[in-house]
Amino acid sequence: QVQLVESGGGSVQAGGSLRLSCVASGMRLSSVCMGWFRQAPGKEREGVAGIYSLGGNEWYADSVKGRFTISQDNAKNTLYLQMNSLKPEDTAMYYCAAAWRSPWVCSFSRPQAEFDYWGQGTQVTVSS
């Protein structure tokens, strides 16, 4: 049974940093396309960053480039999202997700419907 569990969210002031974690069980992160997504109140869920480590692929939304870094510890089967220089507009529920079919197709444009497994989310709140 595949399970994704996020943690690391919290409340910070603008300019601060947080590191989100996503621990996976039931599958190897290195062989799937992993993504971080977020959903703010009243808005659609959007892609933030993704990685397919076997293929060396990484992608970021334009709004987070240069501030967020996605990484993966395959030994711990854990996905991370280091978030620096946080802004109030980064406030959202953050989710990790995994797409095991055609993992090499790992880009910002991959439809969210193709991600098979989702975590429960972790809340990030950035105050001005």
Side-chain angles (χ1 to χ4, degrees), residues 20-99:
L20 306 184
S21 299
C22 171
V23 179
S25 57
M27 66 175 177
R28 290 186 178 274
L29 290 190
S30 60
S31 60
V32 299
C33 170
M34 294 298 300
W36 284 102
F37 299 83
R38 67 186 181 186
Q39 187 168 22
K43 295 187 177 181
E44 292 188 354
R45 189 169 57 194
E46 62 178 1
V48 175
I51 185 170
Y52 172 49
S53 62
L54 278 181
N57 301 21
E58 286 184 15
W59 58 264
Y60 295 92
D62 287 343
S63 58
V64 306
K65 282 180 182 176
R67 300 188 298 121
F68 290 11
T69 303
I70 191 169
S71 63
Q72 196 166 290
D73 185 332
N74 292 330
K76 295 182 179 180
N77 221 31
T78 301
L79 179 73
Y80 301 101
L81 185 68
Q82 178 66 44
M83 306 186 295
N84 298 328
S85 302
L86 282 162
K87 303 175 181 180
E89 51 262 44
D90 295 318
T91 295
M93 185 72 79
Y94 284 71
Y95 301 89
C96 65

Coordinates of all heavy atoms in Angstrom, one line a residue, residues 20-99:
L20 N 9.7 21.4 3.9 CA 8.7 20.4 3.9 C 9.3 19.0 3.6 O 10.3 18.9 2.8 CB 7.6 20.7 2.9 CG 7.0 22.1 3.0 CD1 5.9 22.2 1.9 CD2 6.5 22.4 4.4
S21 N 8.8 18.0 4.2 CA 9.2 16.6 4.0 C 8.0 15.8 3.6 O 6.9 16.1 4.0 CB 9.8 16.0 5.3 OG 10.9 16.7 5.7
C22 N 8.3 14.8 2.8 CA 7.2 13.9 2.3 C 7.9 12.5 2.4 O 8.7 12.1 1.6 CB 6.8 14.2 0.9 SG 5.7 13.0 0.2
V23 N 7.4 11.7 3.4 CA 7.9 10.3 3.5 C 7.0 9.4 2.8 O 5.8 9.4 3.0 CB 8.0 9.9 5.0 CG1 8.5 8.5 5.2 CG2 8.9 10.9 5.8
A24 N 7.7 8.5 1.9 CA 6.9 7.6 1.1 C 7.1 6.2 1.6 O 8.2 5.8 2.1 CB 7.3 7.7 -0.3
S25 N 6.0 5.4 1.5 CA 6.1 4.0 1.8 C 5.4 3.2 0.7 O 4.4 3.8 0.2 CB 5.5 3.7 3.2 OG 4.2 4.1 3.3
G26 N 5.8 2.0 0.4 CA 5.1 1.2 -0.6 C 5.6 1.4 -2.0 O 5.1 0.8 -2.9
M27 N 6.6 2.3 -2.2 CA 7.2 2.5 -3.5 C 8.6 3.2 -3.3 O 8.8 3.8 -2.3 CB 6.3 3.4 -4.3 CG 6.1 4.8 -3.9 SD 5.2 5.8 -5.0 CE 5.1 7.3 -4.1
R28 N 9.4 3.1 -4.3 CA 10.7 3.8 -4.3 C 10.5 5.2 -5.0 O 10.2 5.2 -6.2 CB 11.7 3.0 -5.0 CG 12.1 1.7 -4.3 CD 13.3 1.0 -4.9 NE 13.7 -0.2 -4.2 CZ 14.5 -0.2 -3.2 NH1 15.1 0.9 -2.9 NH2 14.8 -1.3 -2.6
L29 N 10.9 6.2 -4.3 CA 10.7 7.6 -4.9 C 11.6 7.7 -6.1 O 11.3 8.5 -7.0 CB 11.1 8.6 -3.8 CG 10.1 8.8 -2.7 CD1 10.5 10.1 -1.9 CD2 8.7 8.9 -3.2
S30 N 12.8 7.1 -6.1 CA 13.7 7.3 -7.2 C 13.1 6.8 -8.5 O 13.6 7.3 -9.6 CB 15.0 6.5 -6.9 OG 14.7 5.1 -6.8
S31 N 12.1 6.0 -8.5 CA 11.6 5.5 -9.8 C 10.3 6.1 -10.2 O 9.7 5.6 -11.2 CB 11.4 3.9 -9.7 OG 10.5 3.6 -8.6
V32 N 9.9 7.1 -9.6 CA 8.6 7.8 -9.9 C 8.8 9.3 -10.1 O 9.8 9.8 -9.6 CB 7.5 7.5 -8.9 CG1 7.2 6.0 -8.7 CG2 7.9 8.1 -7.5
C33 N 7.9 9.9 -10.7 CA 7.8 11.4 -10.9 C 7.2 11.9 -9.6 O 6.0 11.6 -9.3 CB 7.1 11.8 -12.1 SG 6.7 13.5 -12.2
M34 N 7.9 12.7 -8.8 CA 7.3 13.2 -7.6 C 7.1 14.7 -7.8 O 7.9 15.4 -8.4 CB 8.3 13.0 -6.4 CG 8.5 11.6 -6.0 SD 7.0 10.8 -5.4 CE 6.6 11.9 -4.1
G35 N 6.0 15.2 -7.2 CA 5.7 16.6 -7.3 C 5.2 17.2 -6.0 O 4.7 16.5 -5.1
W36 N 5.5 18.5 -5.8 CA 4.9 19.3 -4.8 C 3.8 20.2 -5.4 O 4.1 20.9 -6.4 CB 5.9 20.2 -4.0 CG 6.8 19.4 -3.1 CD1 8.1 19.0 -3.3 CD2 6.4 19.0 -1.8 NE1 8.6 18.4 -2.2 CE2 7.6 18.3 -1.2 CE3 5.3 19.1 -1.0 CZ2 7.6 17.8 0.0 CZ3 5.3 18.6 0.3 CH2 6.4 17.9 0.8
F37 N 2.7 20.2 -4.8 CA 1.6 21.1 -5.3 C 1.1 21.9 -4.1 O 1.3 21.5 -2.9 CB 0.4 20.2 -5.8 CG 0.9 19.4 -7.0 CD1 1.5 18.2 -6.8 CD2 0.6 19.8 -8.3 CE1 1.9 17.4 -7.9 CE2 1.0 19.1 -9.4 CZ 1.7 17.9 -9.2
R38 N 0.3 22.9 -4.4 CA -0.3 23.7 -3.3 C -1.6 24.3 -3.7 O -1.9 24.5 -4.9 CB 0.7 24.9 -2.9 CG 0.8 26.0 -4.0 CD 1.9 27.0 -3.5 NE 2.1 28.1 -4.5 CZ 3.0 29.0 -4.4 NH1 3.8 29.0 -3.4 NH2 3.1 29.9 -5.4
Q39 N -2.4 24.5 -2.7 CA -3.8 25.1 -2.9 C -4.1 26.1 -1.9 O -4.1 25.8 -0.7 CB -4.8 24.0 -2.9 CG -6.2 24.5 -3.4 CD -7.2 23.4 -3.7 OE1 -7.0 22.2 -3.2 NE2 -8.2 23.6 -4.5
A40 N -4.3 27.3 -2.3 CA -4.7 28.4 -1.4 C -6.2 28.5 -1.4 O -6.9 28.0 -2.3 CB -4.1 29.7 -1.9
P41 N -6.8 29.0 -0.3 CA -8.2 29.1 -0.2 C -8.8 29.8 -1.4 O -8.3 30.9 -1.8 CB -8.4 29.9 1.1 CG -7.2 29.6 1.9 CD -6.1 29.5 0.9
G42 N -9.8 29.2 -2.0 CA -10.5 29.9 -3.1 C -9.8 29.8 -4.4 O -10.2 30.4 -5.4
K43 N -8.6 29.1 -4.5 CA -7.9 29.0 -5.7 C -7.7 27.5 -6.1 O -7.9 26.6 -5.3 CB -6.5 29.6 -5.5 CG -6.5 31.1 -5.3 CD -5.1 31.7 -5.3 CE -5.2 33.2 -5.2 NZ -3.8 33.8 -5.2
E44 N -7.4 27.3 -7.4 CA -7.1 25.9 -7.8 C -5.8 25.5 -7.3 O -4.8 26.3 -7.1 CB -7.2 25.9 -9.4 CG -8.5 26.2 -10.0 CD -8.6 25.9 -11.5 OE1 -7.5 25.7 -12.1 OE2 -9.7 26.0 -12.0
R45 N -5.7 24.2 -7.2 CA -4.4 23.6 -6.9 C -3.4 23.8 -8.0 O -3.8 23.6 -9.2 CB -4.5 22.1 -6.6 CG -3.3 21.4 -6.0 CD -3.7 20.0 -5.5 NE -4.2 19.2 -6.5 CZ -4.9 18.1 -6.3 NH1 -5.1 17.6 -5.1 NH2 -5.4 17.4 -7.4
E46 N -2.2 24.1 -7.7 CA -1.2 24.4 -8.7 C 0.1 23.6 -8.4 O 0.5 23.4 -7.3 CB -0.9 25.9 -8.8 CG -0.3 26.5 -7.5 CD 0.0 28.0 -7.6 OE1 -0.2 28.6 -8.7 OE2 0.5 28.5 -6.6
G47 N 0.9 23.4 -9.5 CA 2.2 22.7 -9.3 C 3.2 23.7 -8.8 O 3.2 24.9 -9.2
V48 N 4.1 23.2 -8.0 CA 5.1 24.0 -7.4 C 6.5 23.6 -7.9 O 7.3 24.4 -8.4 CB 5.1 24.0 -5.8 CG1 6.3 24.7 -5.2 CG2 3.8 24.5 -5.3
A49 N 6.8 22.3 -7.7 CA 8.1 21.7 -8.1 C 7.9 20.2 -8.3 O 7.0 19.6 -7.8 CB 9.1 22.1 -7.1
G50 N 8.8 19.6 -9.1 CA 8.8 18.2 -9.3 C 10.2 17.7 -9.6 O 11.1 18.4 -9.9
I51 N 10.3 16.3 -9.4 CA 11.6 15.7 -9.7 C 11.4 14.3 -10.1 O 10.5 13.6 -9.6 CB 12.5 15.8 -8.4 CG1 13.9 15.3 -8.6 CG2 11.8 15.1 -7.2 CD1 14.8 15.6 -7.5
Y52 N 12.2 13.8 -11.0 CA 12.4 12.4 -11.4 C 13.9 12.1 -11.3 O 14.6 12.4 -12.2 CB 11.8 12.1 -12.8 CG 12.1 10.7 -13.3 CD1 11.8 9.6 -12.5 CD2 12.6 10.5 -14.5 CE1 12.1 8.3 -12.9 CE2 12.9 9.3 -15.0 CZ 12.6 8.2 -14.2 OH 12.9 6.9 -14.6
S53 N 14.3 11.6 -10.2 CA 15.7 11.5 -9.9 C 16.5 10.6 -10.8 O 17.6 10.9 -11.2 CB 15.9 11.1 -8.4 OG 15.5 9.8 -8.2
L54 N 15.9 9.5 -11.3 CA 16.6 8.6 -12.2 C 16.9 9.3 -13.5 O 17.9 9.0 -14.1 CB 15.8 7.3 -12.4 CG 15.9 6.2 -11.4 CD1 15.0 5.0 -11.8 CD2 17.3 5.8 -11.2
G55 N 16.0 10.2 -13.9 CA 16.2 10.9 -15.2 C 16.9 12.2 -15.0 O 17.2 12.9 -16.0
G56 N 17.2 12.6 -13.8 CA 17.8 13.9 -13.6 C 16.9 15.1 -13.9 O 17.4 16.2 -14.1
N57 N 15.6 14.9 -13.9 CA 14.6 16.0 -14.2 C 14.2 16.7 -12.9 O 14.0 16.1 -11.9 CB 13.3 15.4 -14.8 CG 13.5 14.6 -16.0 OD1 14.6 14.1 -16.3 ND2 12.4 14.4 -16.8
E58 N 14.2 18.0 -13.1 CA 13.6 18.9 -12.0 C 12.8 20.0 -12.7 O 13.2 20.4 -13.8 CB 14.7 19.5 -11.2 CG 15.3 18.6 -10.2 CD 16.3 19.4 -9.3 OE1 16.3 20.6 -9.2 OE2 17.1 18.7 -8.6
W59 N 11.7 20.4 -12.1 CA 11.0 21.5 -12.6 C 10.4 22.4 -11.5 O 10.2 21.9 -10.4 CB 9.9 21.1 -13.6 CG 8.8 20.2 -13.0 CD1 8.8 18.8 -13.1 CD2 7.7 20.6 -12.2 NE1 7.7 18.3 -12.4 CE2 7.0 19.4 -11.9 CE3 7.1 21.8 -11.8 CZ2 5.8 19.4 -11.1 CZ3 6.0 21.8 -11.0 CH2 5.4 20.6 -10.7
Y60 N 10.2 23.7 -11.8 CA 9.7 24.6 -10.8 C 8.7 25.5 -11.5 O 8.9 25.9 -12.7 CB 10.8 25.5 -10.2 CG 11.9 24.7 -9.4 CD1 13.0 24.2 -10.0 CD2 11.7 24.5 -8.1 CE1 13.9 23.5 -9.3 CE2 12.6 23.8 -7.3 CZ 13.7 23.3 -8.0 OH 14.6 22.6 -7.2
A61 N 7.7 25.9 -10.7 CA 6.8 27.0 -11.2 C 7.6 28.3 -11.2 O 8.5 28.5 -10.4 CB 5.6 27.1 -10.3
D62 N 7.3 29.1 -12.2 CA 8.0 30.4 -12.3 C 7.9 31.2 -11.0 O 8.9 31.9 -10.6 CB 7.4 31.3 -13.4 CG 7.7 30.7 -14.8 OD1 8.7 29.9 -14.9 OD2 7.1 31.1 -15.8
S63 N 6.8 31.1 -10.3 CA 6.6 31.9 -9.0 C 7.6 31.5 -7.9 O 7.7 32.3 -6.9 CB 5.2 31.8 -8.6 OG 4.8 30.4 -8.3
V64 N 8.2 30.3 -8.0 CA 9.1 29.9 -6.9 C 10.5 29.7 -7.3 O 11.4 29.4 -6.5 CB 8.5 28.6 -6.3 CG1 7.1 28.7 -5.8 CG2 8.7 27.4 -7.2
K65 N 10.8 29.9 -8.6 CA 12.2 29.7 -9.1 C 13.1 30.6 -8.3 O 12.8 31.8 -8.2 CB 12.2 29.9 -10.6 CG 11.7 28.8 -11.4 CD 11.8 29.1 -12.9 CE 11.2 28.0 -13.7 NZ 11.2 28.3 -15.2
G66 N 14.2 30.0 -7.9 CA 15.2 30.8 -7.2 C 15.0 30.9 -5.7 O 15.8 31.4 -5.0
R67 N 13.8 30.5 -5.3 CA 13.5 30.6 -3.8 C 13.3 29.2 -3.2 O 13.6 28.9 -2.1 CB 12.2 31.4 -3.6 CG 12.3 32.8 -4.1 CD 11.1 33.6 -3.7 NE 9.8 33.1 -4.2 CZ 8.8 32.7 -3.5 NH1 8.8 32.8 -2.2 NH2 7.7 32.3 -4.1
F68 N 12.7 28.3 -4.0 CA 12.4 26.9 -3.5 C 13.3 25.9 -4.2 O 13.7 26.1 -5.4 CB 11.0 26.5 -3.9 CG 9.9 27.2 -3.2 CD1 10.2 28.3 -2.4 CD2 8.6 26.8 -3.3 CE1 9.1 29.0 -1.7 CE2 7.5 27.4 -2.6 CZ 7.8 28.6 -1.8
T69 N 13.7 24.9 -3.5 CA 14.5 23.8 -4.0 C 13.9 22.4 -3.6 O 13.7 22.2 -2.5 CB 16.0 23.9 -3.4 OG1 16.5 25.2 -3.7 CG2 16.8 22.8 -4.1
I70 N 13.7 21.6 -4.6 CA 13.2 20.3 -4.4 C 14.4 19.3 -4.4 O 15.4 19.5 -5.1 CB 12.2 19.9 -5.5 CG1 11.5 18.6 -5.1 CG2 12.9 19.7 -6.9 CD1 10.3 18.2 -6.0
S71 N 14.3 18.3 -3.5 CA 15.4 17.3 -3.4 C 14.8 16.0 -2.9 O 13.6 16.0 -2.4 CB 16.5 17.8 -2.5 OG 16.1 18.0 -1.1
Q72 N 15.6 15.0 -2.9 CA 15.1 13.7 -2.5 C 16.3 12.9 -1.9 O 17.4 13.0 -2.3 CB 14.7 13.0 -3.8 CG 13.8 11.8 -3.7 CD 13.2 11.5 -5.1 OE1 12.4 12.2 -5.6 NE2 13.7 10.4 -5.7
D73 N 16.0 12.2 -0.8 CA 16.9 11.3 -0.2 C 16.4 9.9 -0.4 O 15.5 9.5 0.3 CB 17.0 11.6 1.3 CG 18.1 10.8 2.0 OD1 18.4 9.7 1.6 OD2 18.6 11.3 3.1
N74 N 17.0 9.2 -1.4 CA 16.5 7.9 -1.8 C 16.7 6.9 -0.6 O 15.9 5.9 -0.5 CB 17.1 7.5 -3.1 CG 16.7 8.3 -4.2 OD1 15.6 8.8 -4.2 ND2 17.6 8.5 -5.2
A75 N 17.8 7.1 0.1 CA 18.0 6.1 1.2 C 16.9 6.2 2.3 O 16.5 5.2 2.9 CB 19.3 6.4 1.9
K76 N 16.4 7.4 2.5 CA 15.3 7.6 3.4 C 13.9 7.6 2.8 O 12.9 7.7 3.4 CB 15.5 9.0 4.2 CG 16.7 9.0 5.0 CD 16.8 10.4 5.7 CE 18.0 10.4 6.6 NZ 18.1 11.7 7.4
N77 N 13.9 7.5 1.4 CA 12.7 7.5 0.7 C 11.8 8.7 1.0 O 10.6 8.6 1.2 CB 11.9 6.2 0.9 CG 11.2 5.7 -0.4 OD1 11.8 5.8 -1.5 ND2 10.1 5.0 -0.2
T78 N 12.5 9.8 1.0 CA 11.9 11.1 1.5 C 12.1 12.2 0.5 O 13.2 12.4 0.0 CB 12.4 11.5 2.9 OG1 12.1 10.5 3.8 CG2 11.7 12.8 3.3
L79 N 11.1 12.9 0.2 CA 11.1 14.1 -0.7 C 11.1 15.3 0.2 O 10.4 15.4 1.2 CB 9.9 14.1 -1.6 CG 9.7 15.2 -2.6 CD1 10.7 15.0 -3.8 CD2 8.3 15.2 -3.1
Y80 N 11.8 16.4 -0.3 CA 11.9 17.6 0.5 C 11.5 18.8 -0.4 O 11.7 18.7 -1.7 CB 13.3 17.8 1.0 CG 13.8 16.8 2.0 CD1 14.7 15.8 1.5 CD2 13.4 16.7 3.3 CE1 15.1 14.8 2.4 CE2 13.8 15.7 4.1 CZ 14.7 14.7 3.7 OH 15.1 13.8 4.5
L81 N 11.1 19.9 0.2 CA 11.0 21.1 -0.5 C 11.5 22.2 0.5 O 10.9 22.5 1.5 CB 9.5 21.4 -0.8 CG 9.3 22.7 -1.7 CD1 9.9 22.5 -3.1 CD2 7.8 23.0 -1.8
Q82 N 12.7 22.7 0.1 CA 13.2 23.8 0.9 C 12.7 25.1 0.4 O 12.8 25.4 -0.8 CB 14.8 23.8 0.8 CG 15.5 25.0 1.5 CD 15.3 24.9 3.0 OE1 15.5 23.8 3.6 NE2 15.0 26.0 3.6
M83 N 12.0 25.9 1.2 CA 11.4 27.1 0.8 C 12.0 28.3 1.5 O 12.0 28.4 2.8 CB 9.9 27.1 1.1 CG 9.2 25.8 0.6 SD 7.4 25.9 0.8 CE 7.3 25.8 2.6
N84 N 12.7 29.2 0.8 CA 13.3 30.3 1.3 C 12.6 31.6 0.8 O 11.9 31.6 -0.2 CB 14.8 30.3 0.9 CG 15.6 29.2 1.4 OD1 15.3 28.6 2.5 ND2 16.6 28.7 0.6
S85 N 12.9 32.7 1.4 CA 12.4 34.0 1.0 C 10.9 33.9 0.9 O 10.3 34.3 -0.2 CB 13.0 34.5 -0.2 OG 14.4 34.6 -0.1
L86 N 10.2 33.3 1.8 CA 8.8 33.1 1.7 C 8.0 34.4 1.6 O 8.4 35.4 2.3 CB 8.3 32.2 2.9 CG 8.6 30.7 2.7 CD1 8.5 30.0 4.0 CD2 7.7 30.1 1.7
K87 N 6.9 34.4 0.9 CA 6.1 35.5 0.7 C 4.6 35.2 1.1 O 4.3 34.0 1.2 CB 6.0 35.9 -0.8 CG 7.4 36.2 -1.4 CD 7.2 36.4 -2.9 CE 8.6 36.7 -3.6 NZ 8.4 36.9 -5.0
P88 N 3.9 36.2 1.5 CA 2.5 35.9 1.9 C 1.7 35.1 0.8 O 0.8 34.3 1.2 CB 1.9 37.3 2.1 CG 3.0 38.1 2.5 CD 4.2 37.6 1.7
E89 N 2.0 35.3 -0.4 CA 1.3 34.6 -1.5 C 1.7 33.1 -1.6 O 1.1 32.4 -2.4 CB 1.5 35.3 -2.8 CG 3.0 35.6 -3.2 CD 3.4 37.0 -2.9 OE1 3.0 37.5 -1.8 OE2 4.1 37.6 -3.7
D90 N 2.7 32.7 -0.8 CA 3.0 31.3 -0.7 C 2.1 30.5 0.3 O 2.2 29.3 0.4 CB 4.5 31.1 -0.3 CG 5.5 31.6 -1.3 OD1 5.3 31.4 -2.5 OD2 6.5 32.3 -0.9
T91 N 1.3 31.3 1.0 CA 0.4 30.6 1.9 C -0.6 29.7 1.2 O -1.3 30.1 0.3 CB -0.4 31.7 2.7 OG1 0.5 32.5 3.5 CG2 -1.5 31.1 3.6
A92 N -0.6 28.4 1.7 CA -1.4 27.4 1.0 C -1.2 26.1 1.8 O -0.3 25.9 2.6 CB -1.0 27.2 -0.4
M93 N -2.1 25.1 1.4 CA -1.9 23.7 1.8 C -0.9 23.1 0.8 O -1.2 23.2 -0.4 CB -3.2 23.0 1.9 CG -3.1 21.6 2.4 SD -2.7 21.5 4.2 CE -4.3 21.8 4.8
Y94 N 0.1 22.5 1.2 CA 1.1 21.9 0.3 C 0.9 20.4 0.3 O 0.9 19.8 1.4 CB 2.5 22.3 0.7 CG 2.9 23.7 0.3 CD1 2.3 24.8 0.9 CD2 3.7 24.0 -0.7 CE1 2.6 26.1 0.6 CE2 4.1 25.2 -1.1 CZ 3.5 26.3 -0.5 OH 3.8 27.6 -0.9
Y95 N 0.9 19.8 -0.9 CA 0.8 18.4 -1.0 C 1.9 17.8 -1.8 O 2.4 18.4 -2.8 CB -0.5 18.0 -1.8 CG -1.8 18.6 -1.2 CD1 -2.2 19.8 -1.5 CD2 -2.5 17.8 -0.3 CE1 -3.4 20.3 -0.9 CE2 -3.7 18.2 0.3 CZ -4.1 19.5 0.0 OH -5.3 20.0 0.5
C96 N 2.4 16.6 -1.5 CA 3.3 15.8 -2.3 C 2.4 14.8 -3.1 O 1.4 14.3 -2.6 CB 4.4 15.2 -1.6 SG 4.0 13.9 -0.4
A97 N 2.9 14.4 -4.2 CA 2.2 13.5 -5.1 C 3.2 12.7 -5.9 O 4.3 13.1 -6.2 CB 1.2 14.2 -6.0
A98 N 2.7 11.5 -6.3 CA 3.6 10.6 -7.1 C 2.9 10.1 -8.3 O 1.7 9.7 -8.3 CB 4.0 9.4 -6.2
A99 N 3.6 10.1 -9.4 CA 3.1 9.6 -10.7 C 4.0 8.4 -11.1 O 5.2 8.7 -11.4 CB 3.0 10.6 -11.8

